């Protein structure tokens, strides 16, 4: 059942899947090409890639899902718990982060750039989970149509503020602190990811369980 639900979301965005895969490779190639090899921007490029593409993918899945009349009713009547339906959505978005990260690291290796440390990947994951953890329950509550402009605006804001944040004194001092305390950074980001993800999942499950097959 989990595999079927996973493939359902893949089929919903299959017409954009090739474009998305090209962007997963193309964006890190472009960013690494534009950036000076001597400048260490840490996890900012990965943060931009996963959050921009993740929001686009999430918006596309939800939009396509709402296009089919009675689609949600069929899902609500599926022979599995509503918690599993919600869990698969979180699983898909998590796997997408891993796919983007693998693509980014592969490009860095090919272009002879420094690959990211675990704490830097966890840093990007924390921001990604923060955004996804907010938008998933909101979309379950009000539908993607009512928040589509907010999703689009967030994509722009993530790109703009990530580039501005890189040059700030706060970012440099924070990065230096985290670099000197990598184990603490990994543990801290890990705890945040687990706690926030579980809280978001429980909220989404509660919202979805209140929906009826009508």
């Amino acid at each position: 059942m989990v595999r079927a639900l996973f493939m359902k979301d893949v089929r919903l965005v299959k017409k954009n899947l090739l474009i998305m895969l090209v962007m997963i490779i193309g964006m890190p190639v472009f960013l690494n090409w534009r950036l000076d090899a001597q400048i260490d921007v840490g996890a900012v490029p990965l943060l931009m890639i996963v959050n921009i593409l993740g929001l686009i993918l999430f918006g596309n899945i939800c939009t396509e899902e709402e296009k089919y009349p009675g689609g949600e009713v069929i899902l609500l009547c599926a022979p599995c718990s509503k918690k599993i339906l919600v869990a698969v959505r979180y699983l898909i978005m998590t796997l997408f982060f891993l796919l983007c990260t693998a693509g980014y690291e592969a490009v860095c290796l090919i272009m002879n750039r420094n690959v990211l440390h675990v704490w830097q990947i966890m840093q990007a994951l924390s921001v990604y989970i923060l955004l996804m953890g907010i938008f998933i329950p909101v979309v379950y509550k009000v539908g993607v149509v009512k928040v589509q402009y907010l999703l689009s605006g967030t994509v722009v804001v993530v790109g703009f503020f990530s580039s501005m944040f890189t040059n700030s004194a706060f970012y440099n001092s924070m990065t230096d602190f985290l670099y000197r305390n990598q184990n603490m950074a990994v543990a801290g980001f890990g705890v945040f990811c687990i706690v926030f993800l579980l809280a978001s999942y429980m909220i989404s499950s509660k919202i979805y369980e209140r929906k009826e097959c009508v």
Side-chain angles (χ1 to χ4, degrees):
M1 178 55 69
V2 172
R3 181 177 180 275
L5 292 171
F6 176 84
M7 293 307 300
K8 181 265 298 180
D9 282 354
V10 172
R11 284 191 291 270
L12 285 175
V13 294
K14 64 180 181 181
K15 62 182 180 181
N16 299 320
L17 198 57
L18 181 59
I19 297 175
M20 189 65 69
L21 292 174
V22 170
M23 292 179 69
I24 289 174
I25 300 300
M27 286 183 69
V29 169
F30 176 77
L31 291 173
N32 279 310
W33 174 62
R34 294 287 296 174
L35 291 171
D36 191 322
Q38 304 303 317
I39 300 177
D40 184 11
V41 292
V44 172
L46 176 62
L47 186 149
M48 291 175 62
I49 292 167
V50 296
N51 286 287
I52 290 174
L53 295 184
L55 287 170
I56 293 173
L57 176 69
F58 177 64
N60 285 343
I61 290 176
C62 296
T63 300
E64 291 296 324
E65 200 169 62
E66 290 193 4
K67 280 182 181 179
Y68 294 94
E72 186 175 52
V73 174
I74 294 174
L75 283 176
L76 291 171
C77 296
C80 63
S81 70
K82 294 177 182 178
K83 288 184 177 180
I84 291 179
L85 292 172
V86 174
V88 171
R89 181 57 48 83
Y90 280 87
L91 174 63
I92 288 172
M93 300 313 300
T94 302
L95 291 176
F96 185 74
F97 175 88
L98 296 177
L99 178 62
C100 289
T101 302
Y104 179 80
E105 295 286 65
V107 168
C108 287
L109 286 171
I110 293 172
M111 298 183 70
N112 199 28
R113 298 296 183 98
N114 293 328
V115 296
L116 297 178
H117 297 285
V118 174
W119 70 269
Q120 292 174 312
I121 295 175
M122 294 297 294
Q123 185 181 35
L125 178 61
S126 296
V127 178
Y128 179 79
I129 283 180
L130 179 64
L131 289 176
M132 290 296 110
I134 292 173
F135 276 114
I136 291 177
V138 168
V139 170
Y140 274 133
K141 181 66 176 179
V142 302
V144 70
V145 174
K146 293 183 179 179
V147 296
Q148 59 183 343
Y149 293 112
L150 183 59
L151 279 167
S152 301
T154 304
V155 170
V156 176
V157 169
V158 167
F160 176 76
F161 278 100
S162 294
S163 60
M164 296 294 293
F165 188 58
T166 307
N167 299 319
S168 68
F170 173 73
Y171 171 78
N172 293 328
S173 61
M174 183 185 69
T175 300
D176 182 61
F177 173 79
L178 294 174
Y179 183 79
R180 288 184 282 106
N181 301 273
Q182 294 186 27
N183 291 335
M184 185 179 72
V186 171
F189 287 132
V191 170
F192 170 80
C193 290
I194 293 171
V195 172
F196 195 84
L197 190 64
L198 286 175
S200 176
Y201 168 72
M202 287 188 290
I203 292 171
S204 295
S205 296
K206 291 294 184 182
I207 293 171
Y208 206 68
E209 285 175 347
R210 293 174 182 173
K211 293 179 178 289
E212 300 294 339
C213 302
V214 294

